[in-house]
Amino acid sequence: MASGLKVNLQKSRFLASRNVARTKVDKFASICGFHGTKKLDRYLGFPLLSGRVKKCDFDFILDHIQGRLAGWKMNMLSCAGRTTLAKSVLNSIPIYHMQNLWLPTGVCDEIDRVTHTFIWGYTKNHWVKWDVIIRPRNRGGLSIRTTREVNVALLGKYMWDLLHEPNKLRVSLFSTRKVTAWGTLYFRWDNQ
């Protein structure tokens, strides 16, 4: 009340569990003035996920990458130019989302495949294995980072804060509510 801000009822939605009867959802909607929805969309660019995470929930990242590729003339660029564009543009597109979300393996593999195809072109003959290309420069590679490694590194900042900065707000939220989420994160990572 002190700020003068009000809730926008047209933009506000609520999501009810699948087990809640439709009559109860309608009654709650009439009381609070919000509309019910079956699927939450995005907030500040992040998908609001409910239930099991699927590859199709992250299609917008792949669409963004494909949109960038559509404007580039791959045949007009040298291999060094394609490598530079892949490292500076293609690999940076999903970073905003990877710093807070664990991307499914299929999404990471697809981003790596698009990067691989862009660098090598659509030819079947590749002069060097992809495993060599993703190595650091001092080990004979081109220092192209895999999407999964970047995702793990970006999410590692939360683990660092959890261990070394217990007074931060996000640490207190995760330590009281979602401790099992980190176990799931590392369980998935170890089984990759």
Side-chain angles (χ1 to χ4, degrees):
M1 289 175 61
S3 68
L5 298 175
K6 295 180 182 178
V7 175
N8 187 341
L9 298 178
Q10 268 63 32
K11 292 183 179 179
S12 300
R13 303 275 185 267
F14 70 90
L15 176 70
S17 174
R18 284 183 279 167
N19 300 329
V20 177
R22 184 70 194 159
T23 56
K24 289 185 179 182
V25 171
D26 292 339
K27 186 175 181 180
F28 182 74
S30 65
I31 292 170
C32 68
F34 299 156
H35 295 288
T37 184
K38 297 283 185 189
K39 181 183 176 194
L40 297 174
D41 198 20
R42 287 191 266 170
Y43 180 71
L44 298 176
F46 288 105
L48 299 173
L49 304 171
S50 62
R52 187 177 177 137
V53 177
K54 298 177 287 286
K55 182 180 175 184
C56 64
D57 293 332
F58 296 94
D59 282 345
F60 66 95
I61 295 174
L62 297 169
D63 292 341
H64 191 121
I65 290 172
Q66 292 294 344
R68 275 300 178 101
L69 288 175
W72 295 341
K73 305 264 190 284
M74 185 171 52
N75 295 335
M76 305 297 271
L77 296 169
S78 67
C79 188
R82 290 192 301 260
T83 303
T84 303
L85 276 173
K87 286 170 62 174
S88 63
V89 178
L90 293 183
N91 288 345
S92 65
I93 288 173
I95 284 181
Y96 177 70
H97 305 285
M98 287 192 300
Q99 63 187 340
N100 288 316
L101 299 171
W102 178 262
L103 296 184
T105 303
V107 175
C108 292
D109 292 344
E110 184 67 20
I111 292 170
D112 290 341
R113 187 193 63 75
V114 168
T115 304
H116 175 271
T117 303
F118 179 72
I119 290 174
W120 281 120
Y122 295 105
T123 63
K124 292 184 179 182
N125 298 329
H126 302 147
W127 298 105
V128 181
K129 291 182 181 179
W130 186 248
D131 295 336
V132 174
I133 289 177
I134 61 174
R135 290 182 193 162
R137 286 189 187 270
N138 60 1
R139 292 184 44 213
L142 295 176
S143 295
I144 294 179
R145 301 175 300 175
T146 61
T147 307
R148 176 56 66 213
E149 290 174 352
V150 174
N151 196 194
V152 169
L154 289 171
L155 289 173
K157 73 176 188 270
Y158 288 115
M159 286 306 296
W160 178 266
D161 286 346
L162 190 63
L163 296 173
H164 300 286
E165 302 284 340
N167 296 329
K168 286 189 174 180
L169 177 62
R170 69 174 176 226
V171 173
S172 63
L173 287 173
F174 276 114
S175 62
T176 58
R177 278 184 62 225
K178 296 278 189 180
V179 174
T180 57
W182 293 114
T184 305
L185 169 75
Y186 283 102
F187 175 75
R188 287 182 183 172
W189 180 47
D190 289 339
N191 289 336
Q192 295 296 327

